[in-house]
Amino acid sequence: MSQDEFLSNWESQARKGTLELVVMAALATKEFYGYELVEYMKARCGMSVSDGTLYAILLRLKNEGFVRYRWEHAATGPGRKYYELTRQGAAALAGMRTTWAEITRAVDRATEG
């Protein structure tokens, strides 16, 4: 495996490990429909995520009880599914933020100078 291939794989794995945290943090600010959430993540975080990846994450979070959704029917065009964080999701997010802070401090210490 070349260095470029290794780094590409490493980046992919690192992103997978953080996408749930980023999605939940976004949903803690307000409710989003799918495409709006994709655009928010791109603008706010510089993270591009495919619709398929996002919906798989949202389904997983819904099955865990961390996210719920509601349908909003549009006068024109298709309806939209709006996602929001549940109380259980907010508690999980608080724990995830604590863990993330611990991980980033440890990695920062390990990679300094």
Side-chain angles (χ1 to χ4, degrees):
M1 177 183 297
S2 73
Q3 181 177 341
D4 287 344
E5 291 170 325
F6 173 84
L7 290 174
S8 178
N9 184 54
W10 183 84
E11 179 183 352
S12 175
Q13 294 303 311
R15 284 175 46 85
K16 284 180 188 175
T18 58
L19 281 175
E20 286 181 350
L21 172 59
V22 171
V23 168
M24 290 176 67
L27 291 174
T29 65
K30 68 175 216 151
E31 66 177 11
F32 287 91
Y33 63 91
Y35 178 75
E36 181 184 29
L37 185 53
V38 167
E39 292 300 307
Y40 174 87
M41 290 173 62
K42 199 181 304 179
R44 170 84 182 197
C45 311
M47 295 180 83
S48 293
V49 59
S50 71
D51 293 350
T53 298
L54 176 65
Y55 288 114
I57 290 168
L58 289 169
L59 179 60
R60 210 168 32 251
L61 294 174
K62 179 192 163 297
N63 290 341
E64 291 293 333
F66 297 158
V67 168
R68 68 176 157 247
Y69 66 85
R70 67 177 177 82
W71 275 101
E72 187 170 300
H73 298 285
T76 59
R80 291 183 175 155
K81 200 183 277 191
Y82 282 84
Y83 296 88
E84 67 179 347
L85 208 58
T86 63
R87 186 173 297 167
Q88 185 179 356
L93 176 59
M96 293 168 75
R97 283 179 165 151
T98 298
T99 300
W100 181 253
E102 292 168 359
I103 290 169
T104 56
R105 280 192 301 270
V107 170
D108 287 346
R109 284 191 303 269
T111 59
E112 286 177 349

